Amino acid sequence: MADPWQSAYDFAVQVARAAGAVIRKAGEDEIKVQTKSCAVDLVTQTDERVEKIIIGSLKEQFGDGSHCFIGEESVSNGQPCNLTDKPTWIIDPVDGTTNFVHGFPFVAVSIAFAVNKELEFGVVYSCLEDKMYKARKGMGAFCDDEQIQVSDVKDINKSIIISEHGTDRSIEKVTKIFSTMQKILRIPVHGLRGSGTAATNMCLVASGASEAFFEIGIHCWDIAAGVVIVREAGGIILDVDGGPFDLMSRRMMSANNDIIAKRIIKEIEIFEVLRDDAPVPSK
Amino acid sequence: MSDPWQECMDYCVEVTKKAGQMIREALQEDIAVMQKSSPVDLVTETDQKVERLIIDSIKEKYPAHRFPFVSVSIGFTVKKEIEFGIVYSCIEDKMYTARKGKGAFCNGEPIKVSGQEDISQSLVLTEMNFHKDPGHFTTMLANVEKILTIPVHGIRSPGSAAVNMCLVACGSADAYYHMGIHCWDMAGGAALVTEAGGVIMDISGGPFDLMSRRLIVASSRAIARRVAKEITEFPVGRDDTDG
């Protein structure tokens, strides 16, 4: 039976590549930076422009109105962020805006597609590296044309763990983030790393460069594509408390296997974050 | 797809041969000046030092994982001055080179630091390592937290000191600081940062000391000094005294 979403998947790869080219070109010019929720939560015209290009291309291709769109910049501008059973595109046009502003080597276009609230495929284009990560449910995960797999490390002492500081600088959250990092380093692990983009971090787990990446405070658009890629590469996705993963919860643990995931989960100090699908307070 | 580590090793051998040739050429120039000293000993010492740098760099960088920053780093000094630095970020296939007084390059293209002077607009690199001494470990993490909450735009940990220095040199980051690395981690990158227009200093804000096992490199003196202000030092020993 033909895959009903194959053409959507192929189209997503093309759109991600074209978006990545726009980002690379924009990076050659001077970048005007604005801020969103706080002084270190950055956004640029490129974020907004690329999201319009992606959504515009997808609407043109799948224009009968049956598809829904969740995009980071649209949500920032007041669009609701609810995942329904309808075919839904979940888009981060520029994951790693801070990196983009600085020219730090990891900037990604992330496009995921869900139907009946199940993630069907994910595409992450690491545009400065020119690496296309992609995965269709049940068909494996790839970086360009090569199949990728998570690492087979089971010994936590031999693991590299990825963790980020995020953009929330409130004392309570920063204290918990650092306390968690300290506990992980004490295990000890081989090392703690951070590329600065959740989508790229998940691809690093999927390709075996790291054994786990977790974060509290990310958004659904940062991770949706990466979730499919990690699972199809043989890894697992859980909530940071060890329970089942919830795409709208703003928390995620991705790992090569259960052993590593659960060992790291033991050390995570959880703090509260508002869900992506929480009702927007009325004025 | 070819094995990326084989390419790295092949290249290391080539680089070693080239460094040896450079040493012979440099010594031919110096012999006229230093005829009454012990030129044979000097040649021997220099060869061993450069070989040790290359071999130790390869040993230290041999990957257990495939995290994308792995480099070969070669620094060359004469009379304790850094004359040139080479850092090959082999997974990215980026060759960074700098000769004193002649600028810094990545794959033949000139590079320069970002010039950033405002710490609140900066991206800072550092590495978080486990330290056996609980006081040092706590201090190391507290330093990272202090810098993060200035606030800076972000802190990144790519995992390779030499690559971190190159990222500052080419403007992708605005500062890198570290306590506990070694001279072989820093020698190659030091030339790159200074030739790219950046600054290099000791963690205390004083002059850089290659054997001190600590440094700050930055896009500007303002950024470097601001970072130095936040850092609480802890002892890391020296490369030239510890056994």
Side-chain angles (χ1 to χ4, degrees), chain B residues 20-72:
Chain B
Q21 189 180 357
M22 278 180 181
I23 292 161
R24 284 192 294 276
E25 283 168 10
L27 284 168
Q28 277 168 15
E29 281 166 32
D30 280 346
I31 282 173
V33 176
M34 294 163 74
Q35 280 174 352
K36 290 182 182 172
S37 66
S38 185
V40 174
D41 285 345
L42 198 62
V43 168
T44 306
E45 266 181 48
T46 307
D47 278 334
Q48 284 173 346
K49 275 183 186 159
V50 172
E51 257 189 69
R52 203 176 309 129
L53 275 173
I54 295 169
I55 291 167
D56 285 347
S57 295
I58 293 169
K59 275 187 185 167
E60 187 154 353
K61 302 305 173 200
Y62 188 84
H65 302 268
R66 282 170 284 160
F67 205 80
F69 295 115
V70 181
S71 60
V72 178

Side-chain angles (χ1 to χ4, degrees), chain A residues 19-41:
Chain A
V22 171
I23 292 167
R24 277 195 302 269
K25 180 87 181 51
E28 291 163 15
D29 303 324
E30 197 193 314
I31 299 168
K32 291 201 179 77
V33 185
Q34 294 167 295
T35 59
K36 292 193 286 191
S37 61
C38 65
V40 297
D41 185 9

Side-chain angles (χ1 to χ4, degrees), chain A residues 4-52:
Chain A
W5 305 119
Q6 183 65 46
S7 63
Y9 176 51
D10 293 337
F11 192 73
V13 172
Q14 278 180 53
V15 168
R17 197 177 292 283
V22 171
I23 292 167
R24 277 195 302 269
K25 180 87 181 51
E28 291 163 15
D29 303 324
E30 197 193 314
I31 299 168
K32 291 201 179 77
V33 185
Q34 294 167 295
T35 59
K36 292 193 286 191
S37 61
C38 65
V40 297
D41 185 9
L42 308 183
V43 67
T44 69
Q45 287 177 344
T46 302
D47 295 67
E48 290 163 348
R49 189 156 64 98
V50 171
E51 184 161 312
K52 285 198 174 90

Side-chain angles (χ1 to χ4, degrees), chain B residues 174-233:
Chain B
D174 307 296
Y176 164 53
Y177 77 92
H178 207 149
M179 285 185 278
I181 41 172
H182 292 281
C183 60
W184 48 80
D185 295 313
M186 309 195 266
L192 278 156
V193 172
T194 45
E195 286 301 315
V199 303
I200 183 166
M201 60 173 66
D202 183 67
I203 284 280
S204 61
F208 172 60
D209 174 352
L210 183 59
M211 295 293 160
S212 68
R213 296 195 61 194
R214 47 193 231 180
L215 88 168
I216 300 174
V217 293
S219 55
S220 65
R221 203 154 286 277
I223 295 278
R225 287 199 171 127
R226 188 67 178 78
V227 169
K229 213 174 132 186
E230 298 300 330
I231 294 173
T232 302
E233 300 172 30

Side-chain angles (χ1 to χ4, degrees), chain A residues 100-159:
Chain A
F100 170 62
V101 165
H102 286 271
F104 195 77
F106 296 114
V107 180
V109 179
S110 179
I111 301 176
F113 182 69
V115 182
N116 297 324
K117 301 193 183 93
E118 289 284 325
L119 287 162
E120 289 292 330
F121 61 74
V123 173
V124 173
Y125 181 42
S126 179
C127 56
L128 302 184
E129 302 182 277
D130 191 20
K131 284 184 179 169
M132 181 67 72
Y133 293 92
K134 55 195 179 192
R136 172 80 183 95
K137 193 171 81 175
M139 311 276 280
F142 295 82
C143 176
D144 298 324
D145 293 323
E146 225 181 271
Q147 189 151 16
I148 55 175
Q149 276 199 300
V150 292
S151 100
D152 56 11
V153 166
K154 293 190 172 65
D155 181 351
I156 194 69
N157 298 132
K158 295 186 161 51
S159 67

Side-chain angles (χ1 to χ4, degrees), chain A residues 186-250:
Chain A
R186 277 191 204 284
I187 292 175
V189 295
H190 264 179
L192 210 54
R193 302 281 181 270
S195 76
T197 122
T200 304
N201 287 339
M202 296 186 81
C203 294
L204 289 166
V205 172
S207 61
S210 158
E211 277 64 44
F213 161 56
F214 69 93
E215 194 166 343
I216 301 173
I218 30 88
H219 292 279
C220 59
W221 47 78
D222 295 317
I223 53 169
V227 165
V228 188
I229 296 170
V230 167
R231 282 179 175 152
E232 286 301 313
I236 61 167
I237 311 284
L238 296 172
D239 185 72
V240 292
D241 65 6
F245 170 62
D246 174 353
L247 181 61
M248 294 293 164
S249 68
R250 296 191 60 200

